[in-house]
Amino acid sequence: MASHKQVHDDTKTEQEDSPYNANSEKGAPSQSIEASEIGLRDTINDVSDMRRLGKKQEFKVKSPWTHPDVTSELTRRQRNFSFLSTLGFISIYMATWEFLLVSLSVGLLNGGFGGLFWVFIGTVICYSTVVASLAEMESMAPTSGGQYHWVSEFAPPEYQKIASYTAGWMSTLGWLSSVASGVFVVTTLVESMINVTNSSFAFPNWQYTLIMLAFLALMIVVNIWGAKALPMLETISLFGHIGGFIVILIALWVLAPKNSAHAVFTEVINNGGWSNTGTSCLVAQVTVLYCNLGSDSAVHISEEVEDASLIVPRCMWWSYLLNLFMGIIILITMLFCIGDLNTEINSPAPYLDLFNNTGSIGVALLLSIILFLLIFSGNVTALATTSRETWAFSRDKGFPFSRWISRMNYKRNVPDNAVYLTSVVAGIICLINLGSTTGFNIVVSLNLLALLTTYMISIGCVLRKRVLKEPLPPARWSLGSLGLPINGFAFVYSGFVIIFCCFPNQVPVTTSTANWAPLVWAGVILVAIVIYVVHGRKFYTPPVVFVEGRKQDGVGIQTI
């Protein structure tokens, strides 16, 4: 879909006074770069990008090296995420085939076997334009801030501050709910593993919540004290992601009975009470998107990835295709092997029924353990992503107490205060489960709604610049002449899906089945506006004020 050209095709229309004209070729900084500025994995492009964005390289891993003209061993900094570890970082967070297994109930209710399959195909094709648009923006501005930085740099000047501030809060909300929902899912998997041999077992709410908090504590340990080993863990997770897929695929096709191809591909059913099947299927697309969310997770570790302006967008795109391929295969396998549709619609854990269809308790338990380990690995990644986004927004003074939140632990090479704060807030969300599982589910369901909002705002800003033929920064991973139609479709599609994120799963609606996420989403926007008036308007520093060619005279490199 995208070419990896050095510059946008539309940069030929830039005016001579464009702030981006100084670097018509990516990687050519406006000022010379000293060799001492470049670490083992700090490419010239990384140094140039950080200089253009006005950011100091805060993430530094000390590594020994030998200078060709010096016999003694010296020490230099380096970025510690490579192509493979970054690909693993995104892939294991997306975990498309894993979440297809654990999140399919709404899809079965709204559409049945055939409906879920065709909705999946249509949704992932449409959503690919969003992924491509985000990847290109990452190539333009590879910063841990991600969407809120892009909004700040690309929005109309009069709206840059408030729009980027809102995007920062929405992004933080989305990722926090992702961390909380992740520990909920792995706790559910623990209960399911027990259900393999004891089908009537269920944790009371207080035990469920304590186990969620225990997993959260374990994720903190890995993210703080295992920070330097995180790239290696992500690479291992990538191979586990692929290996687990193969094991589960073989086990189900060999051991489980099969539904007919006619039922799998052609039977579209409306069991959600909607007036027509089309609406029912459109509601099901929300589940499909949830299983494909997360391509932008590596955006928030951009400042830790070598050659980030090319490696991160490439990994975003290829991880999406990899997960898409495995997701389709697992979806087909699941639909063939899961058994009777009506039984599974009412089942609390359809994936456990799927595994039990192998006819072996041992195999069902093994498959459940594989699923548990992989989704837990994705939770570790979710905490890393969320803490980096929180750290970046605090660097721009987006939160109260930003100075404390943005503090770096250079010994461990991790913003540990951001990790702790993120974990504490996620833990508070988990505590909601003590009083009301419904209330907890309302909060965690904000993940998709909040992130789609940031996608729509940031893509809309770039789309506007393209329509008005305003200059954009050069991108090494560029959509070229396809940028305008791809951005346009992605913008409209994001808005379209946001509407269906506000729908309940079925009608008629009761208090317990209503979708309260839109109300909470609107409440968070209101809170963000109030905090902006009280705090952000005075203290928040939009990232654009440090961008080369946009900053005022005398403004230097941003530090924490």
Side-chain angles (χ1 to χ4, degrees):
M1 174 177 290
S3 61
H4 301 153
K5 296 183 291 184
Q6 290 291 92
V7 295
H8 291 291
D9 289 351
D10 54 38
T11 55
K12 296 176 182 178
T13 65
E14 295 176 4
Q15 300 298 318
E16 291 301 319
D17 61 351
S18 164
Y20 305 118
N21 274 351
N23 302 329
S24 60
E25 184 175 353
K26 191 73 172 175
S30 58
Q31 304 175 38
S32 61
I33 295 175
E34 299 292 335
S36 60
E37 294 184 70
I38 306 173
L40 291 176
R41 288 183 178 172
D42 286 335
T43 68
I44 291 178
N45 289 310
D46 291 326
V47 176
S48 174
D49 287 330
M50 292 296 283
R51 180 173 291 177
R52 189 192 76 78
L53 297 171
K55 306 294 185 186
K56 179 185 175 184
Q57 179 67 49
E58 300 288 354
F59 290 90
K60 303 172 184 178
V61 177
K62 298 297 184 180
S63 177
W65 71 294
T66 303
H67 192 279
D69 300 323
V70 181
T71 56
S72 61
E73 193 175 69
L74 304 176
T75 300
R76 269 176 107 170
R77 65 183 183 177
Q78 67 174 34
R79 295 185 171 204
N80 59 347
F81 275 88
S82 64
F83 175 85
L84 200 59
S85 55
T86 306
L87 185 69
F89 190 96
I90 302 173
S91 297
I92 198 60
Y93 175 78
M94 287 184 66
T96 297
W97 70 261
E98 293 93 333
F99 276 100
L100 270 172
L101 293 176
V102 301
S103 307
L104 64 119
S105 56
V106 175
L108 293 177
L109 178 70
N110 291 292
F113 292 157
L116 181 58
F117 175 78
W118 293 110
V119 166
F120 185 92
I121 298 299
T123 300
V124 295
I125 291 173
C126 293
Y127 186 66
S128 67
T129 61
V130 176
V131 175
S133 297
L134 296 174
E136 185 187 43
M137 286 189 286
E138 163 65 10
S139 190
M140 294 177 191
T143 166
S144 297
Q147 290 93 307
Y148 84 86
H149 176 103
W150 302 334
V151 172
S152 176
E153 187 171 349
F154 305 142
E158 62 269 29
Y159 302 116
Q160 284 172 347
K161 190 169 185 177
I162 182 63
S164 65
Y165 191 79
T166 303
W169 272 80
M170 282 292 100
S171 181
T172 303
L173 170 67
W175 287 111
L176 280 171
S177 63
S178 174
V179 173
S181 64
V183 293
F184 181 82
V185 170
V186 293
T187 304
T188 301
L189 287 167
V190 171
E191 186 176 81
S192 295
M193 285 187 281
I194 299 173
N195 289 154
V196 171
T197 55
N198 183 1
S199 59
S200 62
F201 179 85
F203 289 121
N205 269 13
W206 67 270
Q207 287 184 351
Y208 215 105
T209 305
L210 285 179
I211 295 172
M212 290 164 65
L213 295 176
F215 281 127
L216 195 55
L218 183 56
M219 289 156 55
I220 295 173
V221 171
V222 177
N223 270 274
I224 296 290
W225 287 274
K228 292 182 180 179
L230 193 58
M232 179 184 66
L233 293 176
E234 300 296 352
T235 303
I236 294 172
S237 296
L238 174 62
F239 289 105
H241 179 57
I242 298 172
F245 163 79
I246 295 172
V247 171
I248 290 179
L249 189 70
I250 293 174
L252 291 176
W253 278 110
V254 171
L255 299 174
K258 311 297 186 296
N259 292 318
S260 68
H262 179 270
V264 169
F265 296 114
T266 65
E267 292 185 3
V268 181
I269 300 171
N270 174 14
N271 282 323
W274 300 100
S275 59
N276 58 76
T277 304
T279 302
S280 182
C281 289
L282 289 174
V283 171
Q285 73 178 321
V286 176
T287 301
V288 174
L289 274 183
Y290 178 74
C291 298
N292 286 279
L293 199 67
S295 294
D296 60 315
S297 57
V299 166
H300 304 296
I301 61 163
S302 293
E303 296 171 33
E304 302 169 66
V305 179
E306 60 174 313
D307 206 12
S309 59
L310 184 59
I311 295 299
V312 174
R314 276 183 175 173
C315 288
M316 290 172 69
W317 184 246
W318 287 110
S319 64
Y320 182 74
L321 295 183
L322 174 65
N323 275 272
L324 174 59
F325 170 76
M326 292 193 290
I328 292 174
I329 299 301
I330 282 292
L331 177 60
I332 292 173
T333 302
M334 178 188 73
L335 297 179
F336 268 102
C337 301
I338 199 168
D340 180 65
L341 174 62
N342 292 324
T343 300
E344 298 311 317
I345 287 175
N346 299 312
S347 173
Y351 62 91
L352 186 58
D353 296 337
L354 176 67
F355 293 163
N356 284 333
N357 283 349
T358 60
S360 168
I361 292 177
V363 171
L365 185 59
L366 173 64
L367 301 187
S368 298
I369 292 173
I370 291 173
L371 201 57
F372 162 78
L373 291 174
L374 293 175
I375 292 181
F376 177 76
S377 297
N379 289 352
V380 171
T381 300
L383 182 56
T385 295
T386 309
S387 62
R388 269 44 166 202
E389 194 278 339
T390 303
W391 169 81
F393 198 47
S394 298
R395 177 174 58 181
D396 292 310
K397 301 178 177 62
F399 296 118
F401 310 107
S402 285
R403 183 182 294 274
W404 178 84
I405 299 171
S406 62
R407 191 175 299 160
M408 277 288 298
N409 185 322
Y410 293 107
K411 182 178 180 180
R412 297 194 184 101
N413 196 43
V414 64
D416 46 11
N417 287 349
V419 175
Y420 292 135
L421 178 64
T422 298
S423 303
V424 167
V425 176
I428 292 172
I429 295 174
C430 291
L431 290 176
I432 297 174
N433 191 60
L434 280 173
S436 171
T437 300
T438 301
F440 172 78
N441 289 333
I442 289 171
V443 176
V444 300
S445 65
L446 288 168
N447 179 220
L448 184 58
L449 192 56
L451 290 181
L452 280 172
T453 302
T454 68
Y455 299 165
M456 187 177 181
I457 296 173
S458 55
I459 293 171
C461 291
V462 171
L463 175 63
R464 172 190 169 275
K465 291 182 78 70
R466 281 201 156 110
V467 169
L468 298 177
K469 299 189 183 303
E470 294 180 0
L472 287 164
R476 300 165 71 201
W477 199 96
S478 172
L479 297 176
S481 59
L482 294 177
L484 181 59
I486 289 176
N487 291 162
F489 185 89
F491 177 77
V492 172
Y493 182 69
S494 296
F496 178 75
V497 176
I498 285 174
I499 293 173
F500 283 94
C501 285
C502 300
F503 277 44
N505 293 332
Q506 60 188 37
V507 290
V509 178
T510 65
T511 303
S512 60
T513 61
N515 183 357
W516 297 101
L519 181 62
V520 180
W521 173 63
V524 171
I525 293 177
L526 181 60
V527 169
I529 292 173
V530 171
I531 296 179
Y532 174 78
V533 172
V534 175
H535 174 271
R537 185 171 56 179
K538 181 178 179 181
F539 296 102
Y540 175 58
T541 308
V544 71
V545 304
F546 295 101
V547 172
E548 200 171 79
R550 308 288 293 277
K551 62 186 178 183
Q552 297 179 356
D553 292 340
V555 177
I557 296 293
Q558 182 185 29
T559 59
I560 57 176

